[in-house]
Amino acid sequence: MVAKNSPTPLPGSCAACAVRPFALFRVVPQARVGEIARVRSAVRLVRANEAIRDSVFTLYAGWAFSWTTTPDGRRQILDFHLPGDLVERSEDGAEVSALTDVSFCVLAKDRLCEFMGRDPGLALSYADGLVRDRARLRERLTSLGRRDALGRVSHLLLELHGRLARRGGADRSGAPLPLKQAHLADALGLSVEHANRALAVLRRDGVASFQKGRLDLLDRTAMEELAGWSTAPAPPVLTRVGA
Amino acid sequence: MVAKNSPTPLPGSCAACAVRPFALFRVVPQARVGEIARVRSAVRLVRANEAIRDSVFTLYAGWAFSWTTTPDGRRQILDFHLPGDLVERSEDGAEVSALTDVSFCVLAKDRLCEFMGRDPGLALSYADGLVRDRARLRERLTSLGRRDALGRVSHLLLELHGRLARRGGADRSGAPLPLKQAHLADALGLSVEHANRALAVLRRDGVASFQKGRLDLLDRTAMEELAGWSTAPAPPVLTRVGA
DNA sequence: CGAGTTGTTGATAGTACTCAACTTGCGTGG
DNA sequence: CCACGCAAGTTGAGTACTATCAACAACTCG
């Protein structure tokens, strides 16, 4: 249960932060990086499968996920969080857990609000992240509402691949994905067994293979077909921050 | 197909706007209402079932909804929009249609961006709306992933009732809902027939009745039980704008 | 080498979909 | 004023997809 080979790196100075180009603070010019440090209230490391209690943070390394549970005890995964993502806890009864070992920068709510109140660009960067979250949730809603198991699995795998690729964490043919099949199932509203069967079909048909923490895209065209993939998500309507 | 009795009211002056307390511009002090008018580029009226082409607007009267369609031609409703809601079109391939006759204020993207860039409070108000959208989508994702037809229908009806109640458009025992059963079905990932059967069960068991555009909550406790209702949604973590 | 977690597979039961009528309500036009 | 035409709502029968239950295999960790 403990990290073995490569220990999870801890975030260092904001000025040299590797994930900042993808993160909330990407809009802060180099000259004002010092102001960011005053918003960061702590740096933290949490082990895989542990709950994260901090309510606002920027993920630096590793994956996390948000989830709720229905009264009858079943889990619904609401979103996966990748390095650079801003994560907010408890906007409802949802919890956030570490999927792998993770490290992140905890942000002080009040100071962040104050910063955003002073810097509209930052507030818009925040809004931009929310718009992306919303777009992703809408896609997933469409999956759960109107796609069968094969389509849902294909769609989620393509989504995760795309998000990783945008951060340089994937190449065209595949990417490392630290998920278990149970995570896929709980994100897609499927039973673990059925998610497994869908993955087996993808493998059998030479479409994609997801094994041992690695996704391989064998036939992207076929996979997009199965997923009902809708080209690339368009840029947000309002907030066009950063690159 | 044409409105009969009460014609849809058109938005008038921003200063006296009835929906502004619930809308994006609620944070603009009365003294600066004039600035809002410069963001409004048009006032429009669209008939029920017609598509809305404007990409950013504040709904003033009537209901609208956002939706996509899967490659095989089935519709997924992504969200319903009520008076006061800020609606953005085409952040992806989604479309927006009028559910009833609607009237709304079209906003000029560039001028709105400029306003938000000058007024962080407004940007945060925008973010606040996005956080609410996200919370709603998460709830609905949980519905589609982990609740059966009865639970989904109950949950959506409770959600809509709550949203209306917050705007003073509903009392404790019920509310007018201009939806067809097909809208419920397409929002919940159900077939029309199955949605119909779920409604029939709610009626038979004296839980709720949804007929002729009106929802009656007959046994709220039982309904919340069915829906796996999670008390009241907590306030957003970051943006605490307005009341 | 166990013990537990994760992944696989098969059989069976449910829930929800599809297809096909048929009913209601309502507006138009004869 | 009533017939027709449609949209929306119902109902029933049969089918398909997915969950559940139960083993069992493969792997990881200590």
Side-chain angles (χ1 to χ4, degrees), chain B:
Chain B
M1 262 329 112
V2 180
K4 339 100 215 254
N5 21 25
S6 66
T8 305
L10 276 171
S13 96
C14 300
C17 177
V19 305
R20 195 153 68 82
F22 317 109
L24 174 69
F25 291 115
R26 67 187 174 283
V27 293
V28 176
Q30 200 67 28
R32 294 171 56 203
V33 176
E35 299 180 48
I36 303 175
R38 286 193 288 116
V39 173
R40 176 164 78 176
S41 67
V43 161
R44 206 146 288 173
L45 196 152
V46 169
R47 289 285 162 69
N49 304 316
E50 302 279 319
I52 297 178
R53 283 174 222 302
D54 306 282
S55 59
V56 188
F57 60 92
T58 297
L59 196 51
Y60 179 73
W63 288 42
F65 63 102
S66 300
W67 55 281
T68 28
T69 169
T70 48
D72 61 326
R74 307 191 318 172
R75 180 174 72 168
Q76 174 67 47
I77 291 184
L78 302 167
D79 207 356
F80 295 103
H81 308 295
L82 275 55
D85 286 349
L86 179 73
V87 183
E88 291 174 70
R89 200 170 138 281
S90 103
E91 94 193 14
D92 36 42
E95 310 207 23
V96 179
S97 296
L99 182 54
T100 65
D101 292 354
V102 295
S103 66
F104 51 88
C105 296
V106 182
L107 306 183
K109 257 183 289 194
D110 48 357
R111 269 174 275 167
L112 178 55
C113 277
E114 186 268 328
F115 197 168
M116 291 198 296
R118 192 153 40 77
D119 183 340
L122 186 61
L124 286 175
S125 171
Y126 172 56
D128 180 62
L130 292 171
V131 168
R132 284 169 205 279
D133 288 355
R134 185 176 64 178
R136 221 175 317 122
L137 284 167
R138 284 177 166 212
E139 277 293 339
R140 225 170 273 154
L141 194 73
T142 306
S143 259
L144 299 215
R146 294 301 184 206
R147 286 196 259 266
D148 62 12
L150 216 49
R152 295 185 204 181
V153 170
S154 303
H155 195 280
L156 181 54
L157 291 178
L158 284 174
E159 180 210 305
L160 292 173
H161 175 80
R163 287 173 75 188
L164 274 175
R166 249 168 272 132
R167 286 154 223 245
D171 52 45
R172 297 203 70 188
S173 67
L177 294 187
L179 307 180
K180 312 288 180 204
Q181 294 186 354
H183 294 119
L184 282 183
D186 285 344
L188 297 174
L190 298 171
S191 66
V192 184
E193 297 90 333
H194 205 62
N196 177 297
R197 284 184 247 261
L199 287 172
V201 171
L202 290 180
R203 230 177 302 140
R204 169 170 62 75
D205 295 352
V207 176
S209 138
F210 172 54
Q211 277 175 319
K212 305 177 197 219
R214 172 155 185 94
L215 168 69
D216 285 297
L217 268 27
L218 306 172
D219 184 346
R220 187 175 235 277
T221 311
M223 200 167 183
E224 292 182 351
E225 177 72 19
L226 280 174
W229 190 254
S230 51
T231 60
V237 174
L238 278 178
T239 65
R240 59 200 67 203
V241 208

Side-chain angles (χ1 to χ4, degrees), chain A residues 31-83:
Chain A
R32 295 172 55 204
V33 177
E35 299 180 50
I36 304 175
R38 285 193 289 115
V39 173
R40 177 164 78 175
S41 67
V43 161
R44 207 146 286 172
L45 197 151
V46 168
R47 289 286 160 69
N49 303 316
E50 301 278 320
I52 297 178
R53 281 171 223 300
D54 306 282
S55 60
V56 188
F57 61 93
T58 298
L59 195 52
Y60 179 74
W63 289 43
F65 63 103
S66 298
W67 56 281
T68 27
T69 169
T70 48
D72 61 326
R74 308 189 320 171
R75 181 174 73 170
Q76 175 67 46
I77 291 183
L78 302 167
D79 206 356
F80 294 103
H81 308 295
L82 275 55

Side-chain angles (χ1 to χ4, degrees), chain A:
Chain A
M1 258 332 112
V2 180
K4 344 99 215 244
N5 20 28
S6 64
T8 305
L10 277 171
S13 96
C14 300
C17 177
V19 305
R20 196 154 65 85
F22 316 109
L24 174 69
F25 291 115
R26 66 185 175 283
V27 292
V28 176
Q30 202 66 28
R32 295 172 55 204
V33 177
E35 299 180 50
I36 304 175
R38 285 193 289 115
V39 173
R40 177 164 78 175
S41 67
V43 161
R44 207 146 286 172
L45 197 151
V46 168
R47 289 286 160 69
N49 303 316
E50 301 278 320
I52 297 178
R53 281 171 223 300
D54 306 282
S55 60
V56 188
F57 61 93
T58 298
L59 195 52
Y60 179 74
W63 289 43
F65 63 103
S66 298
W67 56 281
T68 27
T69 169
T70 48
D72 61 326
R74 308 189 320 171
R75 181 174 73 170
Q76 175 67 46
I77 291 183
L78 302 167
D79 206 356
F80 294 103
H81 308 295
L82 275 55
D85 286 349
L86 179 74
V87 183
E88 291 173 70
R89 200 169 138 281
S90 101
E91 93 191 17
D92 35 42
E95 310 207 22
V96 180
S97 297
L99 183 53
T100 64
D101 291 354
V102 295
S103 65
F104 52 86
C105 297
V106 182
L107 306 182
K109 257 185 289 193
D110 49 356
R111 269 173 276 166
L112 178 56
C113 276
E114 186 268 329
F115 196 168
M116 291 197 297
R118 193 154 38 77
D119 182 341
L122 186 62
L124 286 174
S125 171
Y126 172 57
D128 180 62
L130 291 171
V131 169
R132 286 170 205 278
D133 288 355
R134 184 176 65 179
R136 221 174 318 121
L137 283 167
R138 284 178 165 211
E139 278 292 340
R140 225 170 273 153
L141 195 72
T142 307
S143 259
L144 298 217
R146 293 303 184 205
R147 288 195 257 265
D148 63 11
L150 217 49
R152 294 185 205 180
V153 169
S154 302
H155 196 280
L156 180 54
L157 291 178
L158 284 173
E159 179 210 306
L160 292 173
H161 175 81
R163 287 173 74 189
L164 274 175
R166 250 168 270 132
R167 286 153 223 242
D171 53 42
R172 298 203 68 190
S173 68
L177 294 188
L179 307 181
K180 312 287 182 204
Q181 294 186 354
H183 294 119
L184 283 182
D186 285 345
L188 296 174
L190 298 171
S191 66
V192 184
E193 297 90 330
H194 205 65
N196 177 298
R197 285 184 245 263
L199 287 172
V201 171
L202 290 179
R203 232 176 299 141
R204 169 170 64 73
D205 295 351
V207 175
S209 139
F210 172 54
Q211 277 174 320
K212 305 176 199 230
R214 175 158 182 89
L215 168 69
D216 285 297
L217 268 28
L218 306 172
D219 184 345
R220 187 175 236 278
T221 312
M223 199 166 183
E224 293 182 351
E225 177 73 19
L226 281 175
W229 190 254
S230 53
T231 57
V237 174
L238 277 179
T239 65
R240 56 197 73 200
V241 208

